[in-house]
Amino acid sequence: MRFLRSSLACAVLLLATSARAEAVPLSVEQQAVHVLNRVAFGPKPGDIERVTRMGVQNYLDQQLHPESLPYPPQLSERLAALPTLNRKAGDVVGEYVELQKQVRDEDEGARQRRRTALMAIANETAEARLARAIDSPRQLEEVMVDFWYNHFNVFSGKGIDRALVASYERDAIRPNALGNFGDLLKATAHHPAMLYYLDNFLSTADGFVPGGKKAGPKAKSTGLNENYARELMELHTLGVDGGYSQKDVTELARMLTGWTYDQRALIRDNQTFKFDAARHDKGVKHWLGRDVAPSGVAEGDMALEVLASHPATARHISYKLAQYFVQDAPNLALVERMSRVYLASDGDIRSVLRVLFASEQFLSPDAAGAKFKTPYQFVISAARASATPVRNVAPLLATMAQLGMPLYGCQTPDGYKNTEQAWLNPDALTRRISFATALAGGKLPLAGKGPLTMPAPAMGAMMAATPPAAAPSPTTPTPALDAVTLEATLGQAISPKTRDAVAASAVPLRAAMLLGSPDFMQR
């Protein structure tokens, strides 16, 4: 295995030194490959032929309306069998809180029950995300869930968010991934995962004194907390150059005082949001050039509407979408066209994407293969291309963590980047090659269900440090990949130079060389 990895690394480095071919118009098949690498997480066997037959435009139209694409029965059954995925947020939080109480008694049995329960929550949440990303025909929906979760990032390793991430993705992100940005913004702003992660549940008017049981979650301190207001404008809407001041941050934070959740009501009635009037700053605010009269919760609601419809937000969101789907430094004329459609459609995400996909920049030869895959995209696309049934997601999660992108594990509110500069470095390439070698050789225990363990970075602070290897079931071994089949699956995503290098290599190296090639690491 070590010899294979070393040989593969040398071959990949030789390929990486070659210049990209001169840009020529994309053929029909190349267009199919391109949209599968951008609108989907890469092709599965037969996908390129299917998209070529139906036409790229028809495929894009279909993906923009995921409700028209039913899940395969096996995927539906798998998701239905994951209890955490289908439980109310309050039920999961209630279990978490009860386990926390038991642990305070310093009973080792309680500690073990807590670890097991948290592991189950983490594993099931991750399994659902990866199962959909690999096997769902609604690929654009999955791509947009990944995009928006990073945009509205919540770190799963912070306190009670361990119990809330599944609900946050299910109830706030997923239903709005191709809908209206204003609705998406409101859903994230009202969800307890975001209220807790960026500390708005603690924020009160200056001088507020907690009033006991009616005051909601007990604050460790009182006073104004600006964390959420700052990220709401800087990251979620206007952008760092959106024309606001520090004074605007403070005034928005005042408008959002009292936006919290009541833990008891959450557990009892699944009430995920509460406006606590006693905590609210009742003074007049001056925000973004306007006077805001005291009106309780309506102040925050108004602020979200203003931010969602602001021209700076239109540009910020359009730029990030163009950067994700086209190039790291997107064409500014395209961004401007997308911005105009954003404003004219009142923030309709589907309309903005339609303009992006119809642009000459999206299908330009210069855009094909111009994006470097994030660790998430690399691992998911490899799993899809391999067509290996993934029953045990732990090895995939471990790889993402080793590559610096643990699922739900970004601690900072800006989320993971999607640019080449963020992910292309020698150490990361070596780790990617190791993964490619293991997957191609059938060395990853993907076929059988492993134990409820995975590395700590894979799900924030919820996991053990080093998991034992999960042995594949003896009746369902993980097969080595056939290089000929894999090469056919990837089609013209693989350059002639890479094909020649693969053909000249030893047979055991060929599939790994395809997955570890610079061609495959680009999208």
Side-chain angles (χ1 to χ4, degrees), residues 132-269:
R132 284 187 171 116
I134 295 169
D135 291 327
S136 173
R138 305 173 181 180
Q139 280 290 287
L140 178 58
E141 181 177 71
E142 297 311 310
V143 165
M144 293 307 295
V145 166
D146 176 53
F147 176 86
W148 289 124
Y149 193 99
N150 279 310
H151 185 80
F152 294 103
N153 182 57
V154 166
F155 173 49
S156 67
K158 181 177 179 179
I160 204 169
D161 276 341
R162 292 171 170 85
L164 286 170
V165 163
S167 167
Y168 181 66
E169 182 171 290
R170 179 192 66 206
D171 302 328
I173 302 293
R174 187 171 291 277
N176 300 295
L178 286 165
N180 178 269
F181 180 79
D183 293 340
L184 174 60
L185 182 65
K186 291 175 185 176
T188 59
H190 286 85
H191 199 279
M194 181 64 76
L195 292 167
Y196 182 86
Y197 172 57
L198 290 178
D199 304 315
N200 205 82
F201 82 107
L202 295 172
S203 189
T204 71
D206 286 336
F208 169 77
V209 177
K213 294 183 178 180
K214 294 184 178 180
K218 185 177 180 181
K220 296 180 180 178
S221 61
T222 59
L224 194 66
N225 189 299
E226 298 183 357
N227 287 354
Y228 177 59
R230 179 177 296 104
E231 308 307 352
L232 177 57
M233 289 198 285
E234 178 179 330
L235 299 177
H236 299 171
T237 56
L238 305 179
V240 67
D241 298 320
Y244 62 91
S245 66
Q246 173 56 40
K247 176 68 172 176
D248 291 318
V249 172
T250 300
E251 296 298 273
L252 179 57
R254 293 177 61 205
M255 294 161 67
L256 292 169
T257 49
W259 282 49
T260 184
Y261 67 95
D262 185 318
Q263 187 165 283
R264 289 162 300 177
L266 174 60
I267 294 171
R268 183 182 63 246
D269 303 319

Side-chain angles (χ1 to χ4, degrees), residues 481-490 510-511 514:
L481 303 186
D482 177 69
V484 174
T485 302
L486 181 60
E487 189 171 316
T489 296
L490 299 176
R510 291 177 182 175
L514 290 168

Side-chain angles (χ1 to χ4, degrees), residues 254-257 259 275-277 280-285 291-303:
R254 293 177 61 205
M255 294 161 67
L256 292 169
T257 49
W259 282 49
F275 176 70
D276 189 340
H280 185 64
D281 185 323
K282 298 174 178 60
V284 175
K285 292 88 176 175
D291 289 325
V292 180
S295 57
V297 69
E299 297 173 32
D301 289 334
M302 179 276 295

